[in-house]
Amino acid sequence: MKRNEIYKLIQEYLKDPPVIIWGSGATIACGLPSMNDLNNMLKAKFSFFDKDSTNLENELGKTKYEPHISEIRKCIWECIAEKDVSFLNNILEKSDTYIGVKKLIEKFTEPHPNILNIITTNYDRVLENTMALNNISYTDGFSGRLLSVFDETLFSEKKKSPFVKLIKVHGSLNWFYINGETRYFHGNNNFDPKIIPPGKNKFQEAFAEPYRTLIQNSDEIIKNSRSLLVVGFGFNDEHLTPQITTKIKKRLPYSYLDKAIN
C-alpha cells in the first residue's frame, strides 16, 4: 500500500472519535481498587470466601456464593465507594490531579464535532466527576437529578457538541433499587446498590433494565465503530469481549493501553 493510501485510510478511520472501552485498570492510578484488590478484600471480609481464590470473576461464578451475593455486592460497593470519594476530594483540592483522564477525553472531543462514546464495566464515578469538574457535557442515561430514573432516550437526544455518552453496562455507585425502580441517588444509604458483581449471576441480572438496554446500546456502538481505544480492559467480561474481539478479527483499527491514566 502506498503512503498516500495509508494516510487516506487513517483519515477515514479517524472521521469519528474512537469508541473507548474503559476497564478497571484505567483507574488504578486514581486510587480505585483492581479486581485483585477486591478479591483480597473479600477474602479478608468473609469466612466463607475461598482463601485460595486468585480470580474474582471465576470465584464468584461458583454456586456456593449465590446465597451471599447481596452481602458481597454491598461489600464491593462500600470498598469502591470509599476510594471513589477520595478521588473526588483529591481533584477538588487540586484540579490538575489525575489530569490524564481529562486530557484523554478532551483529545477526542475537541477536534471532532461529534459524540464520544465511552463503554465501561466500572462502577466508580471517576469519569463522571472528571467531566463534571471540567464542564464536559455527558449523559449516563440519567438526568443527573436526585431520584431520577433511567431514560434511554437521553442517549439519542441531539446535544451540543462535544458530548460524551457514558455506557455503564454493569451499573454505577450512584444507582440504587428504590421502590421497584433503578434510581439515581447520592451517598451511603440502606437502599440496594444497583451494580452487577462479577460471577455467574451477572448474566441473569443483565436481562433486567437498565442493563439490557445499556448492553444493547454498547453492542450497537461497537458494531458501528470505525476504531477502538481499549484502556485497562482485561477482555474477561463475557458481555463485551465477544463484540470487541469480533471487530478486531475483522481488522478494525484499535489501540490498547494496559497502563492506568493519571
Side-chain angles (χ1 to χ4, degrees):
M1 184 178 291
K2 296 180 180 179
R3 181 177 297 180
N4 65 329
E5 293 175 332
I6 294 174
Y7 289 156
K8 287 182 180 179
L9 186 62
I10 293 173
Q11 289 175 345
E12 178 67 22
Y13 286 135
L14 294 180
K15 280 183 178 178
D16 297 315
V19 172
I20 297 177
I21 309 297
W22 187 263
S24 60
T27 54
I28 292 174
C30 299
L32 275 296
S34 65
M35 291 289 281
N36 189 55
D37 292 332
L38 293 176
N39 186 59
N40 290 333
M41 178 271 296
L42 292 174
K43 286 183 189 179
K45 180 78 173 179
F46 297 117
S47 60
F48 57 76
F49 200 86
D50 191 344
K51 306 306 179 186
D52 295 325
S53 168
T54 58
N55 185 302
L56 184 60
E57 186 84 29
N58 291 341
E59 186 65 25
L60 290 182
K62 297 176 181 178
T63 55
K64 71 175 185 177
Y65 295 111
E66 290 181 11
H68 305 287
I69 199 66
S70 292
E71 53 188 320
I72 289 173
R73 186 199 320 273
K74 185 69 173 178
C75 189
I76 290 174
W77 184 93
E78 290 173 347
C79 177
I80 298 176
E82 179 184 358
K83 301 300 183 181
D84 191 70
V85 170
S86 296
F87 170 80
L88 176 58
N89 289 335
N90 286 336
I91 62 173
L92 289 175
E93 291 172 6
K94 191 176 181 182
S95 60
D96 60 352
T97 305
Y98 308 116
I99 199 168
V101 178
K102 170 181 176 286
K103 286 185 174 180
L104 175 70
I105 295 172
E106 290 180 340
K107 182 70 175 178
F108 293 114
T109 55
E110 287 178 352
H112 295 89
N114 296 309
I115 291 171
L116 174 64
N117 291 296
I118 303 178
I119 299 170
T120 181
T121 52
N122 295 3
Y123 316 129
D124 64 70
R125 294 170 292 190
V126 166
L127 291 171
E128 295 98 306
N129 288 332
T130 299
M131 289 188 286
L133 183 63
N134 293 284
N135 299 312
I136 299 171
S137 298
Y138 75 93
T139 187
D140 61 355
F142 290 79
S143 68
R145 296 192 306 272
L146 196 66
L147 296 177
S148 58
V149 296
F150 179 73
D151 181 2
E152 64 178 296
T153 64
L154 293 175
F155 290 124
S156 58
E157 285 184 358
K158 291 185 178 180
K159 301 286 185 178
K160 181 180 178 181
S161 298
F163 185 73
V164 176
K165 288 183 181 179
L166 181 60
I167 315 292
K168 304 191 78 170
V169 294
H170 291 166
S172 182
L173 291 177
N174 53 341
W175 301 358
F176 294 90
Y177 194 66
I178 302 174
N179 296 332
E181 292 183 293
T182 300
R183 290 187 177 269
Y184 187 96
F185 198 80
H186 289 294
N188 200 349
N189 54 73
N190 294 322
F191 300 122
D192 292 330
K194 194 69 173 175
I195 60 173
I196 300 180
K200 185 177 180 180
N201 286 339
K202 180 163 64 176
F203 298 98
Q204 298 172 1
E205 295 190 45
F207 284 110
E209 292 293 354
Y211 304 122
R212 181 169 57 183
T213 296
L214 291 167
I215 291 171
Q216 288 173 346
N217 283 350
S218 69
D219 288 348
E220 190 67 19
I221 289 169
I222 294 170
K223 178 182 176 182
N224 295 324
S225 61
R226 291 177 178 267
S227 59
L228 296 174
L229 175 60
V230 183
V231 186
F233 181 73
F235 290 89
N236 295 315
D237 183 78
E238 294 188 27
H239 287 147
L240 296 181
T241 299
Q243 301 295 330
I244 297 170
T245 54
T246 296
K247 291 290 287 189
I248 291 174
K249 287 177 181 178
K250 292 180 179 179
R251 306 186 72 176
L252 179 80
Y254 77 99
S255 296
Y256 178 72
L257 302 177
D258 62 349
K259 300 286 186 181
I261 295 175
N262 59 9

